[in-house]
Amino acid sequence: MPQQPVPILEARQLHTYYGASHILHGISLSIKPGETLSLMGRNGMGKTTLLRSLLGLTPPRRGTVKVYGRDMTGAPPQKIVRQGIAFVPEDRGIFPNLTVRENLVMAARPGPNGRKDWDLTRVLETFPRLAQRINNMGNHLSGGEQQMLTVGRALMTNPDLLILDEATEGLAPLIRKEIWSVVRKIKQSGIAAILVDKDLKALLELADRNIIISKGRIVYEGSSEELAAHPEIHARHLGV
Amino acid sequence: MELSFYLVQLLNAIQYGFLLFLVASGLTLLFGIMGIINLAHGSFYMIGAYLAYWLTDVTGNLWLGILLGLPIALLVGYLVERFAISFLYQRDHLYQVLLTFALILIFNELQQILWGTDVHGVAIPAILAGSIPLTENQSYPIYRLFISAVCIALACGMSWVIQKTRLGMMIRAGASNREMVQSLGINVNRLFALVFSLGVALAAFAGMLAAPVDSVYPGMGENVLIISFVVVVIGGTGSIKGAFVGAMLIGLVSTFGKVLLPEMASVMAYALMAVILLWRPQGLFGRAR
């Protein structure tokens, strides 16, 4: 049997609760280095909770989370992400009281193996709009610029795995296109990604594997070719 | 009265304002960044003064006393944060008030056990013991000028750390979105412990600097605490700039109040606070909530 690479992130049988409500019902998933995984599902089905569980922000009550084979269940978020994970949350998490430059610089650190592929210069080359607004405060940016900033900030941590939660939600089509083209470049540079989004077309083009979640359970897992060939699957789980 | 008399009072007011700033800036930072109401902040001022008195007595030198006292103050701050304050970040302010009030009582008791209830003085180091003559019968002590100079340097240093360094960016980021800072791989707990310790060290340092000009006595912490809260409220909670302006205003009002309106002196600071709050309820540089 050929040796499988150690997954960057591996979750087994996650059960997560908010107070008394049981949100995740035994979700297992893993992502290999360089792989792009999409996570789909209607609103309120547990996608964001799953991401928060993986990152230690809302620790699962049962189940395990491993990063590069090391058990990180219950570890604080900063320990988990320092293994090479960067998170772009749905609300973007821009620091409004810091300038664009400060938002980027405060996050800078080498990757888990000392890699320093991404620095301020490269991020600003990737997002020229940010270079123009470098001294603006975080709360004086448009939604699209904020999204670029939060992705750029994530890259400043030189991650092996980038997790994007609804990165294109509520953005104008042109800005969306720009974000997706950057995600494509990130994928080509070998960084793994977990993408949560509603833009099915973009996800099918970028993702190697797709997972659909419904009511806290994985109801479908398959390649983009397969999912594209079976419109009834997304009609059942994603259609309105 | 002569002009030089007013000059002396002005210098006194500024020097007092600077000392208040050291205490109040820590208080406002802890509240603005960490959401902590620290009633024990004045106790750290007192601890600083007593450390300066004790260590100067032991070593025979105020500089050595300060040098040895500062790490002790930092350590006390760190231990208080780790073993007490850190459990209350997510709790209501009432818990913090109760806990830090208990700390006042504990520190006061410890102070009486260790150093007794006598009033002590600390000698001004020989090199700064002189005065600068202003007129034939007016002069100004060099040590008080020294206090102001040190405070200016510290204020500049603080503003540099907060505005220009990555540590400062992390602190400001932590104030606005703690969880996001964590998600970027930064240990917020360690960051807050550091901020708290530094705030404590600033208050203790103010106490050390003040020891040679004011006496060292039981209960000195509470006096400073109350007036520092007035400074924070006037300046607007969380604003360093506000703490600076507030401290200077209080320095001026209480110093000149004592000279010009002695019978009203004790209420002047509070009257000023009341007027400012009527005009700007969020304080001079506070953000409206």
Side-chain angles (χ1 to χ4, degrees):
Chain A
M1 226 173 100
Q3 192 162 4
Q4 289 283 321
V6 184
I8 301 182
L9 190 61
E10 189 178 16
R12 279 224 184 107
Q13 288 301 317
L14 295 186
H15 288 265
T16 303
Y17 295 69
Y18 279 125
S21 27
H22 194 166
I23 310 290
L24 299 187
H25 297 264
I27 287 197
S28 302
L29 64 82
S30 79
I31 179 159
K32 294 193 286 287
E35 192 182 18
T36 302
L37 182 68
S38 90
L39 209 54
M40 300 182 227
R42 292 193 187 97
N43 284 338
M45 291 300 172
K47 291 168 299 190
T48 298
T49 307
L50 173 57
L51 299 184
R52 291 181 61 87
S53 299
L54 296 175
L55 291 159
L57 290 165
T58 307
R61 205 173 286 180
R62 294 196 300 281
T64 55
V65 175
K66 284 183 181 174
V67 182
Y68 282 120
R70 269 178 63 189
D71 189 359
M72 297 300 277
T73 318
Q78 70 266 17
K79 281 224 172 110
I80 294 179
V81 300
R82 280 199 164 257
Q83 311 292 311
I85 302 171
F87 180 42
V88 172
E90 194 174 1
D91 65 6
R92 299 173 191 142
I94 295 301
F95 303 117
N97 52 340
L98 269 63
T99 64
V100 168
R101 182 197 300 277
E102 289 173 336
N103 265 284
L104 293 170
V105 168
M106 63 84 63
R109 81 176 123 87
N113 46 12
R115 229 172 1 88
K116 286 183 194 160
D117 297 344
W118 289 91
D119 57 9
L120 188 62
T121 317
R122 184 159 171 206
V123 167
L124 294 181
E125 275 167 19
T126 311
F127 296 106
R129 296 268 294 254
L130 294 182
Q132 290 164 19
R133 316 221 50 181
I134 190 82
N135 291 319
N136 280 80
M137 300 305 276
N139 55 351
H140 291 165
L141 301 178
S142 71
E145 288 163 345
Q146 283 194 8
Q147 195 62 53
M148 293 174 194
L149 181 55
T150 179
V151 174
R153 186 177 58 183
L155 291 171
M156 291 291 282
T157 68
N158 286 293
D160 292 345
L161 168 63
L162 185 64
I163 299 180
L164 296 176
D165 194 0
E166 304 280 5
T168 64
E169 197 183 30
L171 298 180
L174 263 175
I175 310 272
R176 251 171 213 243
K177 238 177 118 183
E178 200 174 333
I179 300 272
W180 286 129
S181 97
V182 170
V183 172
R184 198 172 300 120
K185 275 189 219 161
I186 293 168
K187 174 187 162 84
Q188 281 158 4
S189 76
I191 297 177
I194 298 179
L195 308 174
V196 173
D197 214 281
K198 301 216 167 53
D199 190 338
L200 187 68
K201 200 169 143 255
L203 289 182
L204 288 179
E205 183 219 315
L206 282 162
D208 304 308
R209 202 146 52 87
N210 304 278
I211 287 179
I212 299 178
I213 293 181
S214 180
K215 294 179 183 151
R217 290 183 176 85
I218 292 180
V219 292
Y220 171 82
E221 185 171 350
S223 69
S224 291
E225 294 77 35
E226 189 189 76
L227 187 55
H230 293 275
E232 74 277 6
I233 296 172
H234 41 94
R236 187 183 331 140
H237 296 294
L238 305 172
V240 247
Chain B
M1 272 181 271
E2 302 171 56
L3 196 65
S4 63
F5 171 79
Y6 288 102
L7 179 64
V8 168
Q9 296 307 323
L10 182 66
L11 288 170
N12 277 342
I14 291 173
Q15 177 253 307
Y16 178 49
F18 271 129
L19 278 181
L20 275 182
F21 170 67
L22 287 195
V23 182
S25 58
L27 204 56
T28 205
L29 267 186
L30 296 188
F31 185 73
I33 292 181
M34 297 154 70
I36 286 284
I37 293 183
N38 181 19
L39 291 188
H41 212 64
S43 302
F44 296 118
Y45 177 84
M46 175 197 75
I47 289 173
Y50 271 93
L51 281 174
Y53 152 70
W54 174 54
L55 292 167
T56 305
D57 208 40
V58 172
T59 61
N61 186 325
L62 177 66
W63 310 127
L64 264 179
I66 290 179
L67 210 64
L68 294 172
L70 271 181
I72 298 179
L74 265 173
L75 182 68
V76 171
Y78 182 76
L79 293 177
V80 166
E81 199 276 344
R82 278 296 78 192
F83 292 107
I85 307 280
S86 65
F87 295 96
L88 300 182
Y89 287 130
Q90 321 296 346
R91 299 281 189 97
D92 191 78
H93 288 314
L94 182 62
Y95 291 89
Q96 303 166 3
V97 167
L98 285 173
L99 175 87
T100 54
F101 183 66
L103 286 176
I104 294 184
L105 301 179
I106 291 170
F107 283 131
N108 281 350
E109 203 59 35
L110 280 175
Q111 168 261 312
Q112 297 205 2
I113 292 169
L114 288 171
W115 293 297
T117 51
D118 292 341
V119 175
H120 299 283
V122 176
I124 294 175
I127 190 171
L128 300 174
S131 291
I132 297 172
L134 296 173
T135 58
E136 281 152 36
N137 47 14
Q138 293 272 4
S139 65
Y140 197 75
I142 295 176
Y143 186 77
R144 283 179 181 267
L145 289 178
F146 167 76
I147 293 182
S148 295
V150 170
C151 291
I152 292 172
L154 265 177
C156 293
M158 241 164 73
S159 133
W160 179 75
V161 168
I162 291 176
Q163 297 303 327
K164 300 287 174 203
T165 65
R166 276 190 71 198
L167 175 68
M169 295 172 199
M170 289 176 193
I171 291 173
R172 281 181 285 142
S176 87
N177 190 341
R178 195 189 155 108
E179 189 176 278
M180 192 63 225
V181 172
Q182 273 184 302
S183 305
L184 289 167
I186 293 157
N187 189 334
V188 175
N189 295 335
R190 207 186 293 160
L191 188 68
F192 281 13
L194 181 72
V195 173
F196 190 87
S197 309
L198 287 176
V200 164
L202 275 178
F205 186 62
M208 292 175 186
L209 279 179
V213 287
D214 300 325
S215 42
V216 179
Y217 58 95
M220 63 187 293
E222 284 84 271
N223 292 343
V224 168
L225 175 74
I226 292 164
I227 202 73
S228 296
F229 265 115
V230 172
V231 167
V232 168
V233 169
I234 287 180
T237 48
S239 164
I240 295 273
K241 203 197 286 170
F244 183 79
V245 174
M248 283 302 152
L249 281 176
I250 291 294
L252 288 169
V253 163
S254 30
T255 307
F256 282 98
K258 270 180 212 153
V259 180
L260 303 174
L261 287 166
E263 62 279 9
M264 293 279 289
S266 56
V267 298
M268 294 279 280
Y270 305 99
L272 175 71
M273 176 173 80
V275 170
I276 286 177
L277 289 186
L278 280 175
W279 169 47
R280 272 182 78 85
Q282 70 273 38
L284 292 175
F285 294 91
R287 263 169 288 167
R289 279 162 207 269

